[in-house]
Amino acid sequence: PSEESNSSNLSHYGQFLVSTDAVYFSIYIYNDENTTTGFYKSDFEGKNITRINDLLIWGLREYQDKLYFIDRMTGYICKMDKDGSNYEPLFMATDYIIDFENGDIFYSQYASRSGVFKKDVNGVVTEVYDTFSSEFQIHKGYLYFVDQNEFRLCRTNLKTLKTEKISKTQLSSQY
């Protein structure tokens, strides 16, 4: 999966992922009689569907042959093998993205109106942007996001961590 396919995935709340070997997806079906949740994989024709587990997930991504996602029942960013084994909760967050160049995880936490943080592969946390923001994306060495206080599109250089506002007018929270 490329960076661009992950952008498409995020716009659909990350409930599916087209990988090199299968399509992975999460479902939630509610009706008056029962509720069904589950995480599945399918071949590209949609004929061979296999239930992996009963997790309800979003923000689904693949990095180095592992699946990363937010477990909607716990709020944790987690990782696991593609067959559902080696499930590991990593930390609590509401939004996140993996930098595909080096494996850093960028995330935000709405409840505390926090900014965007980076957790590197060694577990070191850095505050990338200190004002409430959401719906961010990484593209060509920059972290793009909408500053939720001023509603302006911003970008942070991931090497220098220097942030600049790139829109002169206010935007909605989606970009």
Side-chain angles (χ1 to χ4, degrees):
S2 67
E3 189 173 317
E4 289 77 15
S5 70
N6 277 281
S7 297
S8 173
N9 185 18
L10 286 179
S11 68
H12 295 89
Y13 304 104
Q15 294 176 307
F16 73 92
L17 173 73
V18 178
S19 182
T20 55
D21 62 334
V23 177
Y24 295 87
F25 59 96
S26 177
I27 63 166
Y28 173 81
I29 301 170
Y30 171 80
N31 61 39
D32 291 336
E33 297 168 10
N34 63 5
T35 299
T36 303
T37 61
F39 183 57
Y40 297 82
K41 78 174 184 177
S42 168
D43 62 15
F44 296 111
E45 289 78 33
K47 294 179 182 173
N48 297 311
I49 298 173
T50 305
R51 184 181 180 95
I52 296 174
N53 55 39
D54 62 353
L55 292 175
L56 180 58
I57 64 174
W58 64 313
L60 183 59
R61 301 171 191 274
E62 179 180 8
Y63 180 72
Q64 293 186 342
D65 215 31
K66 299 271 188 192
L67 297 176
Y68 289 79
F69 55 91
I70 295 178
D71 183 330
R72 291 183 67 181
M73 302 311 284
T74 66
Y76 274 82
I77 292 176
C78 305
K79 73 175 178 178
M80 72 180 173
D81 292 337
K82 290 180 175 182
D83 65 1
S85 63
N86 298 315
Y87 171 89
E88 180 183 352
L90 301 174
F91 54 91
M92 203 83 152
T94 55
D95 264 337
Y96 84 105
I97 190 166
I98 295 173
D99 183 343
F100 286 97
E101 288 185 25
N102 56 22
D104 295 337
I105 297 176
F106 294 82
Y107 63 98
S108 66
Q109 298 170 319
Y110 290 148
S112 64
R113 288 189 53 84
S114 67
V116 177
F117 298 90
K118 175 180 93 169
K119 187 172 231 182
D120 68 18
V121 293
N122 299 314
V124 175
V125 176
T126 304
E127 189 170 55
V128 175
Y129 189 71
D130 64 357
T131 304
F132 180 64
S133 59
S134 66
E135 293 141 2
F136 47 89
Q137 186 62 264
I138 293 174
H139 185 68
K140 295 185 179 180
Y142 286 91
L143 176 75
Y144 289 87
F145 58 92
V146 174
D147 175 315
Q148 295 295 297
N149 289 325
E150 296 183 24
F151 296 102
R152 299 199 192 284
L153 182 63
C154 301
R155 73 178 185 175
T156 298
N157 182 309
L158 295 179
K159 288 189 172 125
T160 65
L161 295 183
K162 181 180 181 212
T163 298
E164 63 182 321
K165 291 182 172 89
I166 58 175
S167 67
K168 294 179 181 176
T169 59
Q170 289 188 339
L171 307 171
S172 71
S173 62
Q174 306 261 343
Y175 62 92

